[in-house]
C-alpha cells in the first residue's frame, strides 16, 4: 500500500498518551509510518506549545496540527496559522456560565495560554475555547444541555473528559479540522482515532474512524473499529496493522 495516500490523525490524551506519557512503542510506530511516506498529525485540546515542549524531538507531525479542540490548524514547521475559528461572544458565555451554572472552575484558552477566567484579560485576545470543570459527570451533562440550548446557534458545547466541558465556535471542531487538513495534504484516506465525546465528529468524518478500547461508549458507537486500550499502545497497534485495517474497511 502507498502510505503517501494516508493521513493518520490521533487525539493526544488517553489515546496516544497515558498520563501525559508517550510510550516508545507508539513513538517508534509513528516514525516508521512517516518513513514509509505516511502523513501523521494530532487533533487535540492541547496547545501547540505544549506539544512542542512536552514531546520535543519525539512527536514531530509532518501534516498540519489541529489544536485547542479543533479551533486552530497550524503548520508545525513554522507555526503559521492556516485556519482558525475563535469565539465571538465569549464575555456573554462566561457570564452565563458563572451566573447560571457555577462550575468549580472556568478557564479561558487563547493561542498559547489557559488561565482562570477571572485572572486573564481577554480585551485584546482571541478566545478559542472556554473550559469548565464541573463537580461530577451529572453536573457536566446538565451543563452541556443548558449551554447548547442557550448558545447552540453560535457555539457547540461538549465534554473532553467526564467532568470537563468545553465550548467552541459552532463552525469549529476536530471534525471540521480534519476535513480541512485532508484537503491541504491531498490525502485519499483519513484515519482518525480518539477516546472521548469531543472526538465523535472527527471519527464520524474520517474515512476510517477508530475508538481506543478505553473510549467512551458514545465514541465506540460511531467508530468503524474499536481497538486496544491506550495503555496497550493502541496507536502502535493500528499503525502496525494499517494495511489490514484499510482493506477490511474497504471490503
Amino acid at each position: 500500500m502507498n502510505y503517501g495516500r494516508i493521513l493518520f490523525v490521533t487525539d493526544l490524551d488517553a489515546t496516544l498518551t497515558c498520563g501525559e506519557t508517550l510510550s516508545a512503542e507508539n513513538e517508534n510506530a509513528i516514525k516508521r509510518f512517516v518513513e514509509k511516506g505516511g502523513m501523521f498529525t494530532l487533533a487535540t485540546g492541547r496547545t501547540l506549545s505544549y506539544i512542542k515542549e512536552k514531546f520535543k524531538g519525539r512527536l514531530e507531525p509532518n501534516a498540519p496540527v489541529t489544536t485547542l479542540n479543533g479551533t486552530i490548524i497550524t503548520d508545525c514547521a513554522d507555526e503559521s496559522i492556516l485556519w482558525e475559528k475563535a469565539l465571538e461572544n465569549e464575555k456573554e458565555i462566561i457570564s452565563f456560565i458563572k451566573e447560571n451554572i457555577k462550575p468549580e472552575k472556568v478557564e479561558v484558552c487563547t493561542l498559547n495560554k489557559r488561565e482562570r477566567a477571572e485572572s486573564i484579560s481577554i480585551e485584546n485576545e482571541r478566545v478559542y475555547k472556554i473550559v469548565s470543570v464541573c463537580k461530577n459527570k451529572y453536573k457536566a451533562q446538565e451543563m452541556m444541555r443548558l449551554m447548547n440550548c442557550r448558545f447552540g446557534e453560535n457555539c457547540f458545547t461538549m465534554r473532553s473528559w467526564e467532568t470537563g466541558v468545553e465550548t467552541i465556535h459552532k463552525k469549529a471542531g476536530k471534525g471540521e479540522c480534519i476535513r480541512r487538513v485532508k484537503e491541504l495534504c491531498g490525502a485519499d484516506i483519513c484515519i482518525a482515532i480518539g477516546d472521548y465525546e469531543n472526538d465523535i465528529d472527527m471519527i464520524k468524518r474520517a474515512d476510517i474512524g477508530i475508538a481506543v478500547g478505553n473510549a467512551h461508549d458514545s465514541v465506540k458507537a460511531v467508530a468503524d473499529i474499536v481497538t486496544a486500550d491506550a495503555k496497550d499502545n493502541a496507536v502502535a497497534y493500528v499503525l502496525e496493522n494499517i494495511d489490514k485495517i484499510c482493506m477490511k474497511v474497504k471490503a
Side-chain angles (χ1 to χ4, degrees):
M1 179 174 288
N2 178 11
Y3 285 10
R5 298 169 50 237
I6 302 173
L7 171 66
F8 181 80
V9 185
T10 179
D11 171 49
L12 190 62
D13 297 285
T15 300
L16 177 60
T17 63
C18 287
E20 299 188 53
T21 298
L22 173 65
S23 71
E25 289 85 353
N26 282 341
E27 178 186 355
N28 292 331
I30 290 167
K31 287 179 179 177
R32 287 192 294 270
F33 173 70
V34 171
E35 287 169 0
K36 292 178 181 178
M39 292 172 278
F40 164 75
T41 191
L42 299 161
T44 175
R46 300 280 191 173
T47 62
L48 184 61
S49 59
Y50 169 86
I51 296 165
K52 291 203 163 198
E53 291 166 12
K54 182 72 176 177
F55 306 106
K56 186 176 181 180
R58 299 189 65 202
L59 266 186
E60 297 180 340
N62 63 341
V65 178
T66 294
T67 55
L68 290 179
N69 223 356
T71 58
I72 302 176
I73 300 173
T74 306
D75 185 310
C76 204
D78 62 11
E79 298 190 21
S80 59
I81 294 176
L82 304 176
W83 178 86
E84 63 179 337
K85 186 62 72 173
L87 288 165
E88 297 170 352
N89 53 341
E90 62 275 7
K91 290 182 180 179
E92 182 185 357
I93 295 170
I94 292 167
S95 295
F96 180 84
I97 292 171
K98 287 185 172 182
E99 293 171 12
N100 298 279
I101 299 170
K102 299 181 175 68
E104 296 198 323
K105 184 165 59 175
V106 181
E107 296 180 325
V108 172
C109 295
T110 56
L111 185 59
N112 280 309
K113 292 188 294 185
R114 173 171 162 172
E115 298 182 28
R116 283 182 177 269
E118 59 269 21
S119 65
I120 185 173
S121 172
I122 59 175
E123 295 301 325
N124 299 309
E125 297 266 18
R126 290 174 68 78
V127 174
Y128 292 95
K129 68 174 183 175
I130 298 167
V131 183
S132 302
V133 181
C134 298
K135 186 176 181 180
N136 54 53
K137 67 178 182 180
Y138 305 108
K139 294 286 186 181
Q141 290 166 344
E142 176 64 7
M143 179 176 177
M144 283 193 297
R145 187 189 68 78
L146 290 172
M147 290 292 290
N148 285 321
C149 180
R150 174 66 177 80
F151 297 102
E153 289 187 5
N154 302 305
C155 306
F156 179 60
T157 299
M158 82 242 96
R159 291 191 302 173
S160 292
W161 70 96
E162 190 172 73
T163 59
V165 180
E166 301 197 9
T167 300
I168 61 175
H169 194 286
K170 184 79 170 181
K171 293 183 180 179
K174 292 184 180 184
E176 174 62 17
C177 285
I178 68 162
R179 180 189 69 80
R180 291 174 178 271
V181 172
K182 183 183 178 183
E183 287 182 358
L184 287 168
C185 294
D188 291 336
I189 300 172
C190 176
I191 301 173
I193 183 170
D195 77 297
Y196 219 77
E197 292 168 355
N198 60 318
D199 296 319
I200 287 175
D201 190 42
M202 173 177 77
I203 288 172
K204 287 170 71 174
R205 290 211 207 185
D207 297 295
I208 303 173
I210 303 176
V212 289
N214 54 283
H216 190 274
D217 286 345
S218 60
V219 182
K220 293 178 180 178
V222 300
D224 297 302
I225 296 169
V226 177
T227 189
D229 284 8
K231 65 179 176 59
D232 296 322
N233 305 308
V235 167
Y237 178 83
V238 170
L239 290 176
E240 287 163 2
N241 292 277
I242 202 161
D243 290 13
K244 294 177 182 177
I245 288 170
C246 288
M247 294 304 295
K248 180 179 178 182
V249 173
K250 279 187 176 181

